[in-house]
Amino acid sequence: MPLSAYPATAQDWFQGARPHTWANAFAPVIAGTGAAAALNGAHWGRAFLALIVAWALIIGVNYANDYSDGIRGTDDDRTGPQRLTGGGLAKPQHVKWAAFASFAVAAVAGIALSLVANAAWFILVGALCIAGAWFYTGGKNPYGYRGLGEVAIFIFFGLVAVLGTQFTQAGRISLTGLALAIGIGGMSSAVNLANNIRDIPSDTEAGKITLAVRLGDKKSRNLFMWLLLLPVLLTIVIAFDSWLALAALAYFPFALQAVHTVNRGARGPQLIPVLGITGRAMLVWALVSAIALFLV
């Protein structure tokens, strides 16, 4: 088809990068920098590089998902916002190139971060993150179609992102860093889970076996609730480093709003706002915790 047949605007490309998911990139870097500060090791330059890595990765994985789901036909009947590939807005190859360009930015920033932190071995970790981002829905046997999406998000945007940020700044990790990593990983997974709860009918029909499809509607909603309540306990752990971290419970009203919406049986478009609310809860928890740890 001629390029004129693909009417994607700059706004369409911006929405294709799914800005409502960017909290998944910002929150772990904020939390990891706070954890480094508790060890007197915070470094703004390295924090900036970590932010570029995480931000580029989340944009890359969003474009990659758009491309891979689109060419498989998974997005032919969706409840959420229209996709670039599945909606016929952009040439599939161009969406793929956008994903690879984002991964390239993440790779360059990641290599720079690894070298300045004297942790060249961390380049391998970055390569695994990029591979995980692509094979989530890409390749012949995507693990996102086997119910492992939330597990991967917990690992890459929770454990790896938070503890990697802390390690590249402070040179070591801590119990506080681990608590933050688990909390961020859980809430980040909850963002994806809410999205997949919304898409259970269309994913089931398309043969996309997400965790929500595997668990079913009721169990998925219960898991979402526990993922958002987990940071309450983790805040107590962090408070041993700084009692001011108890202020991070300010995230709870956002979490409660998201849980209330999900548990009252919201479906389809009614679940879309939950993604943003959950992202805000995660950002508030990360930011307030980080500020408290800087004040130790």
Side-chain angles (χ1 to χ4, degrees), residues 17-193:
R18 299 185 215 172
H20 63 270
T21 66
W22 290 357
N24 296 50
F26 301 152
V29 177
I30 293 170
T33 301
L39 298 176
N40 297 314
H43 188 290
W44 293 113
R46 295 176 190 180
F48 178 73
L49 285 173
L51 181 62
I52 295 300
V53 173
W55 197 2
L57 272 178
I58 197 72
I59 291 174
V61 75
N62 286 337
Y63 282 137
N65 291 349
D66 188 303
Y67 167 77
S68 297
D69 284 344
I71 62 172
R72 283 190 171 89
T74 310
D75 285 338
D76 288 351
D77 180 23
R78 22 183 304 108
T79 305
Q82 190 174 28
R83 296 285 183 85
L84 292 166
T85 306
L89 296 175
K91 188 175 182 179
Q93 189 70 15
H94 291 172
V95 180
K96 183 178 181 180
W97 289 347
F100 286 171
S102 299
F103 292 149
V105 171
V108 171
I111 291 172
L113 176 60
S114 300
L115 295 179
V116 299
N118 294 315
W121 58 270
F122 212 73
I123 295 174
L124 177 59
V125 176
L128 290 175
C129 290
I130 292 174
W134 174 253
F135 289 108
Y136 172 47
T137 55
K140 295 181 179 180
N141 192 25
Y143 64 84
Y145 282 46
R146 293 181 173 274
L148 297 175
E150 284 75 12
V151 175
I153 288 171
F154 179 82
I155 293 172
F156 292 125
F157 285 98
L159 300 182
V160 173
V162 176
L163 295 178
T165 298
Q166 183 184 28
F167 183 85
T168 53
Q169 293 181 46
R172 59 192 177 98
I173 60 177
S174 65
L175 178 61
T176 291
L178 181 60
L180 286 164
I182 292 172
I184 294 297
M187 286 193 281
S188 190
S189 297
V191 173
N192 196 63
L193 183 60

Side-chain angles (χ1 to χ4, degrees), residues 159-284:
L159 300 182
V160 173
V162 176
L163 295 178
T165 298
Q166 183 184 28
F167 183 85
T168 53
Q169 293 181 46
R172 59 192 177 98
I173 60 177
S174 65
L175 178 61
T176 291
L178 181 60
L180 286 164
I182 292 172
I184 294 297
M187 286 193 281
S188 190
S189 297
V191 173
N192 196 63
L193 183 60
N195 188 69
N196 288 336
I197 291 172
R198 182 196 69 199
D199 291 338
I200 286 177
S202 58
D203 284 344
T204 301
E205 185 176 348
K208 183 177 180 179
I209 311 301
T210 63
L211 180 62
V213 171
R214 283 190 181 278
L215 293 178
D217 187 84
K218 183 177 180 179
K219 289 182 179 179
S220 296
R221 292 173 190 268
N222 286 336
L223 176 58
F224 177 86
M225 176 183 68
W226 288 114
L227 288 173
L228 283 192
L229 293 180
L230 180 60
V232 172
L233 298 177
L234 295 170
T235 299
I236 298 173
V237 175
I238 299 166
F240 281 99
D241 250 345
S242 172
W243 66 269
L244 292 173
L246 292 174
L249 292 175
Y251 96 98
F252 192 69
F254 296 99
L256 195 62
Q257 182 183 0
V259 169
H260 177 69
T261 301
V262 170
N263 281 0
R264 73 181 181 187
R267 298 183 182 280
Q270 297 172 334
L271 284 167
I272 294 176
V274 171
L275 307 182
I277 297 168
T278 305
R280 285 191 287 277
M282 179 166 48
L283 277 175
V284 168

